[in-house]
Amino acid sequence: MSREKPLLRFGVIADPQYAALPPNVAMNRYFENSLAKLREAVGVFNGEDLSFVVTLGDLIDRGWENYEAVLSIYKDLRHESFLLPGNHDFLLAPERLSEVHARLGMPAAWHDFSRGGFRFVVIDGNEISLFSSQKGDPRHSLARERLRALKAENAVNAQEWNGGIGDEQFAWLEATLARADAAGEKVIVMGHYPLFPENEHSLWGYERLTGLFASSGNVIAYLNGHNHAGNLGHDGSTWYVNFKGMVDTERENTFAVVEIFADCIEITGYGREESRRLPL
């Protein structure tokens, strides 16, 4: 039962979106206040027994110069840190676009790792987008085509601030899930964009991924940010957890500790983040 020791514990942050900018009060985004919120989260995490902490994208709102302030706070984190980019992390001078993954200390734009007998998979929903590549790049042209097709379908997620994944990445994801299944590993996938339930923030081509997760049967959870309001869905054997955006609200924080048990996932939310028990 879940009152036993968890199999694994880790911390989650979504969308700090820091920038040295005045607040956008209309959107309830207080960019500079994210530094204090991050320090608070790091303090809480440092008092916990965790395998790692993951940040689900949008560390900055824009501007390469803003990375220094936000990343310096992570130096005080005593746990292993996994960072992945969101759409705002690419709102940079064009010559900096190819440097984002290295700046976040990522081994690759998409990758996987094992902790506590679970396979964690990091996907890159920015791969096919209008912001992660320059005009003239084949990925940029493909993004224009995909967005045009989605708009023709009146798709709710036909938005310039969303993105998608390419065929090579999808094939890698498919092979990674199959490899985990052969090893008897349950999988947790992490990305910036929501997949389910459908909403205006959803990854372009999300149906392909939810279909893959359903057929694989071993993906117990998909964790994301991007939709700052947060969300929760369940499809097949997969829980879809959209964590709330840290940049929102002037003072109230939001982050979480996730515990994996044999029979459930327990999320302890701090500030605006909801606490949940998700049966497996």
Side-chain angles (χ1 to χ4, degrees), residues 48 50 163 266:
E48 297 282 341
L50 304 174
E266 289 197 4

Side-chain angles (χ1 to χ4, degrees), residues 109-215:
W110 56 86
H111 61 99
D112 64 295
F113 59 93
S114 176
R115 293 292 181 279
F118 292 86
R119 178 66 45 187
F120 288 86
V121 179
V122 175
I123 64 169
D124 179 24
N126 308 294
E127 183 195 1
I128 309 299
S129 69
L130 297 178
F131 40 80
S132 67
S133 55
Q134 299 183 57
K135 286 177 183 173
D137 187 309
R139 292 179 301 144
H140 194 91
S141 304
L142 182 54
R144 284 245 171 261
E145 288 170 26
R146 284 200 187 175
L147 183 57
R148 197 178 299 118
L150 287 167
K151 283 183 174 176
E153 296 165 13
N154 291 314
V156 69
N157 65 332
Q159 310 288 345
E160 292 194 359
W161 30 262
N162 292 330
I165 72 172
D167 290 339
E168 182 191 348
Q169 184 180 172
F170 185 83
W172 168 85
L173 176 60
E174 201 170 24
T176 302
L177 296 187
R179 197 170 66 245
D181 188 49
E185 295 174 323
K186 295 295 184 187
V187 179
I188 295 173
V189 182
M190 306 185 292
H192 183 61
Y193 302 89
L195 301 181
F196 182 88
E198 180 194 49
N199 63 81
E200 64 178 0
H201 298 87
S202 296
L203 183 85
W204 297 344
Y206 65 88
E207 309 95 329
R208 200 177 178 199
L209 276 75
T210 55
L212 173 61
F213 295 174
S215 62

Side-chain angles (χ1 to χ4, degrees), residues 205-252:
Y206 65 88
E207 309 95 329
R208 200 177 178 199
L209 276 75
T210 55
L212 173 61
F213 295 174
S215 62
S216 297
N218 61 339
V219 180
I220 60 171
Y222 174 76
L223 313 179
N224 66 275
H226 191 50
N227 177 4
H228 293 203
N231 210 345
L232 179 71
H234 189 253
D235 182 58
S237 54
T238 306
W239 284 100
Y240 293 86
V241 187
N242 187 153
F243 290 88
K244 294 182 178 180
M246 183 179 271
V247 71
D248 296 51
T249 78
E250 186 174 8
R251 300 269 170 245
E252 204 174 0

Side-chain angles (χ1 to χ4, degrees), residues 22-30:
N24 182 331
V25 178
M27 294 186 75
N28 201 20
R29 292 186 182 169
Y30 292 80

